[in-house]
Amino acid sequence: MRLLLHICCGPCAAFPLKHLRDSGYEITGYFYNPNIHPYKEFTRRLETAKEFALKMNLEMIVDDRYTLEEFLNHALSASGAGGRCGMCYESRLRQTARIAKANKFDCFSTSLLVSPYQKHELIKDACEKISKEEDIAFLYVDFRSGWTEGVTISKELELYRQPYCGCIFSERDRYHKIRKESM
Ligand code: SF4
């Protein structure tokens, strides 16, 4: 079965790729993450995802559009389920579903489901809704039990591991909090 795996970053993809291959799926990776700011961080994560794909012999589809204004406009006005993060998940995963359908994959999933730091239920709910609306199957797996194993694999592969989720708001929350605590 052919599965298009949305890859939020190389390290997060490590365990899902292993698990899905072990389960018999034929995996193609898909990088589409215009939520990552600033641009140098975006390029670093994109290059790391490509490095991961090369090391793991993983075919990749890359969409490297950097639609900063569009993301910020949507993020600042987000009001639906999950607010800003709900919008962020939905936009990336809907695009994944559409690419999967257009390229005749059997189903799609996402490496976001491995992280204990992401809003897991929001991601799952978004994918299930998108699956119905875009008419393409979604494979749900709770990859979180493999988080530690994934960290170990990413360190063995010497991949860059990012310190915050992605958007400029998460970067602010990561470092502003540290600065406030040290004052
Ligand atoms: S915190 Fe992460 S999931 Fe939420 S909007 Fe920012 S990049 Fe997207």
Side-chain angles (χ1 to χ4, degrees):
M1 200 173 234
R2 293 176 69 232
L3 182 150
L4 187 66
L5 180 67
H6 168 258
I7 289 183
C8 58
C9 65
C12 279
F15 178 77
L17 179 66
K18 177 178 181 294
H19 178 88
L20 293 169
R21 278 181 169 167
D22 287 350
S23 304
Y25 288 92
E26 185 187 329
I27 309 298
T28 297
Y30 178 56
F31 186 96
Y32 175 64
N33 301 290
N35 57 309
I36 302 169
H37 312 143
Y39 183 66
K40 281 175 80 171
E41 178 70 17
F42 172 81
T43 54
R44 192 166 187 194
R45 293 193 201 182
L46 172 55
E47 290 312 311
T48 302
K50 288 179 181 172
E51 178 189 345
F52 170 74
L54 197 64
K55 287 177 174 171
M56 300 306 294
N57 196 25
L58 172 69
E59 191 180 329
M60 281 274 280
I61 300 172
V62 171
D63 184 340
D64 60 359
R65 281 177 291 160
Y66 192 67
T67 49
L68 176 62
E69 288 85 357
E70 185 181 319
F71 178 86
L72 291 177
N73 281 335
H74 287 155
L76 289 169
S77 61
S79 58
R84 187 165 65 223
C85 293
M87 177 284 298
C88 180
Y89 295 140
E90 168 134 4
S91 63
R92 290 185 281 161
L93 296 165
R94 187 175 295 282
Q95 181 66 9
T96 305
R98 287 179 176 171
I99 295 295
K101 173 115 185 175
N103 290 279
K104 302 193 176 353
F105 284 86
D106 298 300
C107 52
F108 74 99
S109 193
T110 173
S111 61
L112 286 163
L113 291 167
V114 79
S115 173
Y117 302 106
Q118 296 289 336
K119 297 176 172 67
H120 191 93
E121 292 304 319
L122 199 55
I123 297 165
K124 179 172 179 272
D125 290 348
C127 287
E128 286 172 347
K129 179 169 86 80
I130 290 165
S131 168
K132 288 193 190 104
E133 291 171 354
E134 302 294 336
D135 191 27
I136 172 92
F138 159 60
L139 179 75
Y140 172 69
V141 181
D142 187 348
F143 295 117
R144 289 176 294 184
S145 60
W147 170 252
T148 306
E149 186 178 344
V151 170
T152 302
I153 296 170
S154 69
K155 287 182 176 170
E156 284 169 0
L157 294 174
E158 299 183 328
L159 299 179
Y160 162 64
R161 298 186 54 80
Q162 65 271 17
Y164 60 92
C165 184
C167 66
I168 202 73
F169 307 101
S170 61
E171 193 262 6
R172 183 267 321 270
D173 293 346
R174 171 76 167 80
Y175 294 111
H176 189 55
K177 184 165 174 280
I178 290 172
R179 194 177 70 84
K180 279 200 296 192
E181 284 173 354
S182 63
M183 282 171 68

